[in-house]
Amino acid sequence: MPAEQPVTPAPPAIGATNPPEIESILDAAEVQFSEVGVRLTTVNDIAQRAGVGRVTVYRRIGGRDEIAQAVTARSAARLIEEVVATARAAETIDDMIGNVFAATVLRMREHPVWNRMLTLEAASSLPRLTTDGGSLLTTATHAAVAILQEAVESGLMPAVDDLSARAEVVVRVAHSVVLTPQAVVPLGSRDELSSFARSHLLPIVFPHRP
């Protein structure tokens, strides 16, 4: 009879921090993915690096695709935490928009797994970030709305109509800049990204600035 395959459970809810055993598996997976990519990684590779059994990995998270999704979800949650902290540290709406946009783009560009996916596994990875990336953009838009709403409540900017739509435009621009970093406008450095956001995204967020 064929060997019984582990039953893949429903994926756990992944946040910026998780139970220690899940954190250990995700840490191991992140290193493994950054070294050889997702496609060439097996559950055995991750289990060995994490120091746990293969069945434990299946029970706690799932197979390779579920692990890749969990690594991405954790990275996104951590990025959102960093971006929220950056937004709260700003003293003006100009600083908030400029600093948050620059920090978001640079953090995503520097992420080892995302870089590996985009450079070596673009054919399989791009759909997750584009045509199949609706959930990623939705999560980012909800986070952007929360940041802008907090800016309104703290007095950095007045209330505006269509806040969700404005937030989504900013998120989509950031998404585009991450996926296609070079075009006509130079957007390589923190200063260039911040200046671009202040000049072109701030008017979208705060359209009737005195």
Side-chain angles (χ1 to χ4, degrees), residues 176-201:
S176 175
V177 171
V178 170
L179 292 180
T180 312
Q182 295 181 348
V184 176
V185 179
L187 295 171
S189 70
R190 181 177 295 274
D191 287 345
E192 288 169 343
L193 290 165
S194 178
S195 177
F196 173 84
R198 292 166 189 257
S199 296
H200 303 290
L201 301 183

Side-chain angles (χ1 to χ4, degrees), residues 60-78:
R60 296 297 282 165
I61 301 178
R64 184 186 63 186
D65 289 345
E66 288 79 18
I67 296 168
Q69 292 170 4
V71 168
T72 300
R74 184 178 69 165
S75 296
R78 289 179 173 178

Side-chain angles (χ1 to χ4, degrees), residues 3 17 41 65 79 99 105 108 118-119 148:
T17 57
T41 292
D65 289 345
L79 173 61
N99 294 346
V105 172
M108 292 185 70
L118 290 174
T119 56
L148 293 176

Side-chain angles (χ1 to χ4, degrees), residues 47 72 101 111 114 161 170 188:
T72 300
F101 183 77
H111 195 281
W114 290 341
D161 295 332
V170 173

Side-chain angles (χ1 to χ4, degrees), residues 124-141:
S124 60
S125 299
L126 280 176
R128 300 178 191 172
L129 301 173
T130 54
T131 54
D132 297 331
S135 61
L136 178 65
L137 288 179
T138 298
T139 298
T141 299

